[in-house]
Amino acid sequence: MVRSIKNPKKAKRKNKGSKKGDGSSSSSSSMPTVPAKVWQPGVDKLEEGEELQCDPTAYNSLHAFHVGWPCLSFDIVRDTLGLVRNEFPHTSYFVAGTQAEKAAWNSIGVFKVSNISGKRRELVPNKPATGDDEMESESSDSDEDSEDEEEGGSKTPILQLRKITHQGCINRIRAMPQSPHICASWADTGHVQVWDIRSHLNALAESETAVGQGANPVFSESPVVKFGGHKDEGYAIDWNPVTPGRLVTGDCKSFIHLWEPASDATWNVDPKPFTGHAASVEDLQWSPTESDVFASCSVDGHIAIWDTRVGKSALTSFKAHNADVNVISWNRLASCLLASGSDDGTFSIHDLRLLKGGDSVVAHFEYHKHPITSIEWSPHEGSTLAVSSADNQLTIWDLSLEKDEEEEAEFKAKTSERVNAPEDLPPQLLFVHQGQKDLKELHWHSQIPGMIVDTAADGFNILMPSNIQSTLPQDGT
């Protein structure tokens, strides 16, 4: 159970030339002059004089930003700009909750990032680039010392931010899919609150001017609902994707409460909780197809499946991991699949159709060596999921892949690849993103295929890996 950001410090504005958050820990802009080696956190050690460097060709888009204090949780807010958007530049709206040094300093951040630039890169280049030409043509979009950004050019994203005061640190925050101006926050004070952020979203939509950090006004507003019926603080919360307004919240005392909407601005919270876990409920996920069914995971190592129509006990419960189960994700495109991430660094894929047979695990991975902090299926590719870990890696996996030595050899020949990749990497491992500190949560953008956003102690990253080929536009922009 790894969640809180210890001793949070206010994020500092990034200096020119800084590479923080771009997949490396290096402040140098030069490319390596010797054949590169894939570095594995927890396995490899940096020798004296060695440094990590990002390969900018691995990204179609990569940007880093911060909103002040670190955020343990955030959500991407659904917008009206288009259901499937493939052309750069992009615009996205977010809601996030801070982990400030003092309870009274916390806020909900409602923000808009526009002019998110990027480019399409071919999986196999037509001809190898060398020397300065390669640096010029494949420079990272997040490289703040690039010429365009030095001059405030077209590649500079615009961040607009509005803050709402919030008493206590925000453990988790979620926006309602059907009415994205409604969001719910779990606070370390033990309260769950529902907020209406419509006015802030509208103000951001009408404005195109970035506000300097520290100059953002902080609005004092009251929540639409404030529920104090939980016995302790919690982290588990999820809006129902089928029935608008239906919500479940779980706490560290193992209790789960059901919220039913009574109107657009009121909810009835069932005072009698769902019970069955022997320890803290860490995450909750509604079924993508059945409005009355949800799943929960717990520090007790179990996953439980519940039906709100048949009482307060679980339909079934099964041992999922040998340690705390921190996070779960229900596949929206293949509703029989549920992914789970554990405190021991492992994550598993469960086929719920196999529960009656005893063992539902159809895939199990031990790549990460530190606790899994977030896991989420892609909304556009049913076999793809992203995972973040306390080892400071965000990994993307395609479960449909199998090792093909002939294909690998052909790829290396075409690209003249000289990278010494470890031989024991799982064939399903599609992408590794590094360079951030204390990764906490990630989300795929449901309206921009291939885009992932994450939050860490040192801020947010927006990334679009170049090898998620099927989700990209056919022509460069």
Side-chain angles (χ1 to χ4, degrees):
M1 181 174 66
V2 175
R3 296 174 300 216
S4 61
I5 297 176
K6 297 181 180 179
N7 301 319
K9 296 181 180 179
K10 193 169 185 179
K12 296 180 180 179
R13 179 175 289 276
K14 198 160 53 171
N15 295 324
K16 291 289 184 182
S18 170
K19 291 275 189 174
K20 179 194 286 186
D22 69 353
S24 78
S25 61
S26 167
S27 60
S28 169
S29 62
S30 62
M31 294 293 285
T33 57
V34 297
K37 176 184 178 182
V38 175
W39 187 75
Q40 302 177 86
V43 177
D44 300 324
K45 293 182 179 180
L46 287 178
E47 302 296 336
E48 186 176 354
E50 287 186 325
E51 61 182 15
L52 299 180
Q53 295 201 8
C54 170
D55 179 5
T57 66
Y59 299 89
N60 283 290
S61 184
L62 178 60
H63 300 282
F65 62 95
H66 60 83
V67 294
W69 293 104
C71 297
L72 182 67
S73 180
F74 77 102
D75 205 3
I76 298 172
V77 178
R78 184 176 58 81
D79 56 51
T80 58
L81 300 178
L83 294 179
V84 180
R85 309 201 293 271
N86 283 319
E87 294 187 1
F88 292 110
H90 290 299
T91 296
S92 186
Y93 293 83
F94 306 90
V95 61
T98 63
Q99 296 273 304
E101 188 175 328
K102 295 184 179 180
W105 293 356
N106 281 289
S107 63
I108 292 176
V110 184
F111 51 102
K112 169 187 175 184
V113 181
S114 56
N115 203 39
I116 301 170
S117 62
K119 63 182 68 174
R120 175 179 174 83
R121 298 189 179 98
E122 296 299 329
L123 187 60
V124 178
N126 292 326
K127 59 180 180 179
T130 58
D132 295 336
D133 292 336
E134 181 179 358
M135 280 296 297
E136 228 177 303
S137 61
E138 301 292 354
S139 60
S140 170
D141 296 317
S142 69
D143 189 352
E144 288 199 339
D145 56 6
S146 68
E147 182 178 347
D148 279 332
E149 294 202 16
E150 287 283 357
E151 299 175 357
S154 61
K155 290 187 177 181
T156 306
I158 299 172
L159 172 64
Q160 297 163 260
L161 172 66
R162 293 169 71 91
K163 299 178 181 178
I164 305 168
T165 56
H166 189 284
Q167 186 65 30
C169 294
I170 299 172
N171 295 339
R172 196 160 286 173
I173 191 165
R174 292 290 182 264
M176 189 195 303
Q178 302 89 343
S179 300
H181 63 281
I182 299 295
C183 66
S185 64
W186 236 129
D188 65 359
T189 60
H191 296 93
V192 179
Q193 299 170 81
V194 176
W195 304 81
D196 188 336
I197 60 173
R198 187 197 304 266
S199 62
H200 302 286
L201 291 173
N202 289 341
L204 291 173
E206 294 169 1
S207 173
E208 296 296 336
T209 305
V211 179
Q213 193 70 30
N216 310 91
V218 181
F219 299 88
S220 181
E221 299 179 10
S222 298
V224 176
V225 177
K226 185 175 183 178
F227 177 65
H230 279 285
K231 303 300 182 183
D232 196 0
E233 67 174 308
Y235 293 80
I237 187 169
D238 195 36
W239 291 103
N240 193 305
V242 180
T243 301
R246 184 174 288 176
L247 181 72
V248 279
T249 54
D251 61 38
C252 294
K253 293 292 186 183
S254 78
F255 299 123
I256 301 170
H257 285 275
L258 174 66
W259 299 50
E260 293 284 8
S263 68
D264 290 340
T266 58
W267 277 260
N268 295 323
V269 186
D270 192 337
K272 185 177 180 181
F274 295 89
T275 58
H277 282 296
S280 172
V281 176
E282 297 292 277
D283 202 3
L284 290 162
Q285 283 274 284
W286 284 101
S287 163
T289 58
E290 300 181 69
S291 64
D292 299 295
V293 177
F294 66 90
S296 62
C297 67
S298 170
V299 167
D300 63 17
H302 285 72
I303 291 175
I305 308 296
W306 313 75
D307 190 322
T308 61
R309 299 165 295 187
V310 294
K312 301 300 181 179
S313 299
L315 290 177
T316 185
S317 178
F318 58 94
K319 185 75 171 179
H321 292 273
N322 294 322
D324 307 2
V325 187
N326 295 333
V327 286
I328 53 176
S329 177
W330 208 316
N331 195 316
R332 286 344 192 200
L333 300 178
S335 60
C336 61
L337 298 180
L338 186 75
S340 61
S342 174
D343 221 41
D344 61 10
T346 66
F347 66 96
S348 298
I349 311 301
H350 309 269
D351 189 333
L352 301 180
R353 297 171 298 183
L354 304 178
L355 284 177
K356 292 183 179 180
D359 187 6
S360 64
V361 177
V362 292
H364 180 74
F365 297 92
E366 300 181 358
Y367 171 82
H368 289 284
K369 308 303 180 186
H370 293 79
I372 303 300
T373 57
S374 188
I375 191 166
E376 188 169 290
W377 291 99
S378 166
H380 300 102
E381 299 288 342
S383 63
T384 302
L385 77 162
V387 180
S388 68
S389 169
D391 62 11
N392 298 326
Q393 292 186 83
L394 186 158
T395 54
I396 302 174
W397 303 75
D398 187 341
L399 303 185
S400 67
L401 296 179
E402 296 181 359
K403 190 174 182 65
D404 188 324
E405 295 180 359
E406 183 178 335
E407 189 176 84
E408 286 183 2
E410 182 181 355
F411 176 81
K412 290 182 179 181
K414 287 184 177 180
T415 59
S416 301
E417 187 178 51
R418 289 184 291 175
V419 173
N420 300 314
E423 294 295 329
D424 59 346
L425 288 179
Q428 296 86 1
L429 181 58
L430 196 64
F431 193 86
V432 177
H433 172 70
Q434 300 179 59
Q436 292 175 273
K437 181 181 178 182
D438 205 5
L439 274 164
K440 288 301 178 186
E441 191 169 279
L442 67 86
H443 295 296
W444 295 86
H445 201 300
S446 64
Q447 296 170 271
I448 306 176
M451 177 180 285
I452 295 177
V453 185
D454 67 44
T455 184
D458 50 4
F460 293 84
N461 271 194
I462 298 176
L463 58 140
M464 297 181 72
S466 62
N467 64 341
I468 304 184
Q469 194 74 355
S470 62
T471 63
L472 299 174
Q474 294 303 311
D475 297 308
T477 59

